[in-house]
Amino acid sequence: MSSPEHAPGIPRATYRLQFNKDFGFDDAAVLAPYLAALGVSHVYASPYLRARPGSTHGYDIVSHTELNPELGTAEAYARMVAAFKAHGLSQILDFVPNHMGVGGADNPWWLNVLEWGPDSEFAGWFDIDWETDRLYLRQKILVPFLGDHYGAVLASGGLKLKFDADEGSFAVWAYDTHKLPICPLHYGRILGDKHAELERLSDAFAHLSAFRPHVQRCADELKAELAEHARNDPKLAAAIETALDRFNGASGNLETWARLDELIGDQYWRAAHFRVAADDINYRRFFNINDLAGIRIELPELFDHAHSLIFQLLEDGVLDGLRLDHIDGLLDPKAYCLRLRDKAPRLPYLVVEKILAPHESLRADWNVDGTTGYEFANLVTRLMIDPAGEEVLTRFYAEFTGQDTPFSEIARDCKLRIMENEMASELNVLARDAGRVARSNARTADFTDNVLRRALQQIIACFPVYRTYVDGSAPSDADRRDIDWALAHARRYDTALDPSVFDFLYGLLTCDLIAEPRSGFSRVAVIRVAMRAQQYSGPVMAKGVEDTAFYRYNRLLALNEVGGQPDQFSTSPTAFHYANAERAKRTPHAMLSTSTHDTKRGEDARARLAVLSECAEAWTQRVGAWSRILRAGSSGSPQDTPPDRNDEYAFYQLLLGSWPMELSTGAVPDAPALDLFRQRIEGAMVKAMREAKVHTTWAAPNAAYEDAVLDFIRHALDVSRTNPFLESFVAFQARMAWFGMHNSLVQTVLKLTAPGVPDIYQGAELWDLSLVDPDNRRPVDFAARQKMLACGAKHARDALQIKTFLETWQDGGLKLSLIEAVLQARAALPDLFRGSSYIALNPSGPGAGRICAFARQSGDTWLVVAVALCPSADQAWTDTDIALPAGFESGDWRNILDGSIVCATNASFAASALFATLPVAVLTTQLT
């Protein structure tokens, strides 16, 4: 990959910070001493370029060339940079190259396109289909931001014409939120002739076309003149208000809005109900989110403009690297990454947000350092899952819920649903463009758009990866393999289609149609359709699988994670070692994540849920009993009363996984302590139900079903009465929390020592039992963490301190201590952790199957990492040993986690010595 082993700027470890209006630059600056003391080398910052006001995440960027003013001034940013540098911290920035925030009144590019349509200088920077088959949208942009039908909103006064006295411009405002500019060529219709000066300006605006190609510049000059007159002439200003009154009617009387309706009909935009987007949207979106519009970052002029500030920050040494958001949304990710490297020679570290299928590898020719680590999060989760529990959990899930459909079929059905509903318009456009290619050649001219749509839908539903990367050259072996797979399965699912349509689409998607000269097909058209299909398949996978199927298939929620495969139950230590060795060889600086702003559950919630695989029989017995208790008083058939069994089963897992550590005492908590947690669970359950799209959806919420489920939750967590469910639950949960804590330590140590760059999500240095966003973006109590770290630093790291941490394990101090210990070791021995060496170690004896161990080497320095799996099992380690790498016979090693000295004899460690106190050990030959 791109970065040499010891290149400066490669992070030792990162710490993710989520910036928003309540956590800005000065807040981050205050954390510099704490983060340095913790041991990270880089702050990994969420997007902090200018976003829409009130943005909680920064991904709805409206200007790439400005810092977000809600986070602080330029001076505040400089103070943050200085504080980081003073404490030896560098930065990695999360950058958004795929889309921008639109709607509202904040994106000047978008507003200009709405104002001038295809003539806007920014029209080509967005991915807009100006020649749509929808005749009423020709040369217009659909603006699907209305909460009701257009006529209803118009009649209610939800659309009003207003004058901006500062700009001298007119716009229709939807709900006083969304600005929809009026084209200046129509200002004359508004200004009228009732005032002499307005009549003159009206005539000037009406004849702007005479000044092509300088129409927009002349229009700006006239606007400025109009604004000046409005400021200085009260009569003229009053005349403008009178003119507006002619367009704005009476609320509830549609006929009085006819003049405004006529004016709107002549604009370059068409305001519509948000549901219209599914069928008629004619701009590329981020997934199916209407107010995030895709941009054509492949255009050189847009690329240079959008990266100008980033390049300056890299050149100034403020940034050491970038994390590229949603790389699969780009037309050509490889070309983008190579251009980025070429244009930014001082870019030492570059990682991409990319979800890899189990059989898929990151493309080596992209010249990036790796992914952001979703695959590691799922790998370590599956390592902690006991394969012995699969049969019991699978059987019980089918019996309890009545669902036995394989996950692969659920995923396919969900992808088909997304293409039939939320993303139907994009599929229609893709089929239309494929039809145009087909009709350009006599041999394929009879393939209709409808037939091509059906076939494309089946192919995309069967794709085994998010997307391929065909670019007009010969497809890679990986791309051809995945297209072969999709076509083969699609043919079997729709046998009514003539097989020749699949043959044609295979040639189109692989670009084989133009492999030979004089093919009869346009090279430009074929490549365009193939690349657009790739841009479409990724969002379909994301929305169909992660945001739908993951909420329908609830066998074990620990597996339903971003980038995960819920039907792959567990991973053996051998497979874990193989994945680590491959990463060490191919992407030694890839990011390793276990919690992010996008994960469905916090890392420690997943670690706790993994324990269910070890206690499957006990778990299933309790779920059956809990259901009977909670449904005992329901009216009608318990089976038919909300929640359905699938939602109910998800609820029990969410409750168990995220139950707060401070409440994990085995006793029923009091109402105040439980109330905040209940609200979080309710929010997560509503999101899960709507994402599943079975009983309710975001677009059409089923209030009756949702309310019934919320009543079920409140009944389950009611402490105002004797509650047999809660009494049973807290006793079981306390045991699971203890075992889950052991798993969390295993997960933490593996992330910090495996090949790659470990990332700590904000706050996750203590227990992270978060639910899905927005729960995982709650404010972090950094003061408590700083105090805990400072307190721990005052004591020697020894067995006594570890014992103290274990006695108070609920506060998270133990996890924090281990993180600090390993990060300090990474700082002291950087070559050992940056190197690509990785040696799997072989345990032997009765407990060998419950141990994962490996070694890493740099010169004469060695590191051995060993973790104990299956914490609920008998932890007697009699006659169980871990063999050392060749060349070691005996000697003393230091366990950096507690400072103890462990002796190796007969070229091995005794497991009983390594795991005497903790289920993890990190040993080094460096004894000082």
Side-chain angles (χ1 to χ4, degrees), residues 203-279:
D203 187 58
F205 277 114
H207 289 83
L208 276 171
S209 296
F211 294 94
R212 293 186 185 275
H214 306 294
V215 174
Q216 294 183 43
R217 178 177 59 78
C218 293
D220 288 342
E221 292 172 355
L222 285 176
K223 287 180 189 177
E225 190 176 347
L226 177 60
E228 183 178 2
H229 283 302
R231 283 193 299 270
N232 299 327
D233 185 344
K235 291 184 178 180
L236 183 143
I240 292 175
E241 290 301 316
T242 300
L244 291 176
D245 289 340
R246 293 166 45 235
F247 286 85
N248 293 323
S251 179
N253 188 343
L254 182 60
E255 287 73 17
T256 62
W257 297 90
R259 191 186 297 269
L260 180 60
D261 179 40
E262 184 180 0
L263 180 64
I264 288 174
D266 291 334
Q267 302 312 305
Y268 288 113
W269 45 265
R270 194 257 183 183
H273 190 279
F274 71 88
R275 292 181 185 170
V276 174
D279 292 324

Side-chain angles (χ1 to χ4, degrees), residues 331-531:
L331 185 69
D332 190 344
K334 172 186 173 181
Y336 171 80
C337 291
L338 294 180
R339 180 181 291 175
L340 197 57
R341 287 289 195 187
D342 180 61
K343 292 275 190 173
R346 296 187 64 175
L347 175 59
Y349 191 63
L350 182 63
V351 290
V352 295
E353 185 203 25
K354 163 66 184 166
I355 293 174
L356 298 168
H359 67 277
E360 187 182 14
S361 298
L362 186 64
R363 303 301 169 99
D365 57 359
W366 286 11
N367 197 19
V368 299
D369 291 289
T371 71
T372 53
Y374 295 135
E375 62 273 15
F376 180 81
N378 286 283
L379 178 70
V380 73
T381 296
R382 292 196 306 271
L383 177 69
M384 295 184 295
I385 291 176
D386 186 354
E390 181 172 13
E391 181 180 354
V392 174
L393 290 179
T394 302
R395 183 178 65 251
F396 178 79
Y397 178 60
E399 292 172 351
F400 185 78
T401 66
Q403 299 192 25
D404 57 4
T405 306
F407 176 75
S408 59
E409 286 302 306
I410 294 174
R412 176 179 170 275
D413 287 345
C414 290
K415 288 199 281 184
L416 289 171
R417 184 199 181 284
I418 289 294
M419 288 185 279
E420 288 289 350
N421 294 283
E422 291 96 319
M423 301 189 69
S425 179
E426 291 89 343
L427 181 61
N428 292 335
V429 171
L430 193 60
R432 179 204 69 189
D433 291 347
R436 289 173 178 172
V437 172
R439 288 186 290 277
S440 70
N441 191 303
R443 294 189 298 273
T444 56
D446 285 345
F447 292 131
T448 66
D449 291 0
N450 181 57
V451 165
L452 291 167
R453 185 188 189 282
R454 282 176 57 188
L456 280 166
Q457 185 178 22
Q458 291 294 342
I459 292 168
I460 291 170
C462 293
F463 250 74
V465 292
Y466 270 64
R467 61 167 286 175
T468 51
Y469 301 95
V470 174
D471 59 5
S473 57
S476 67
D477 291 343
D479 285 337
R480 196 172 289 279
R481 171 199 64 202
D482 293 327
I483 295 173
D484 285 344
W485 171 280
L487 264 293
H489 285 74
R491 290 176 190 271
R492 290 199 288 269
Y493 278 114
D494 198 339
T495 56
L497 284 173
D498 188 316
S500 62
V501 71
F502 289 110
D503 296 336
F504 167 71
L505 287 174
Y506 182 84
L508 182 59
L509 296 177
T510 59
C511 293
D512 285 355
L513 288 180
I514 54 172
E516 300 296 333
R518 297 182 296 280
S519 67
F521 294 100
S522 162
R523 179 177 178 82
V524 170
V526 168
I527 294 173
R528 182 178 184 275
V529 174
M531 297 182 79

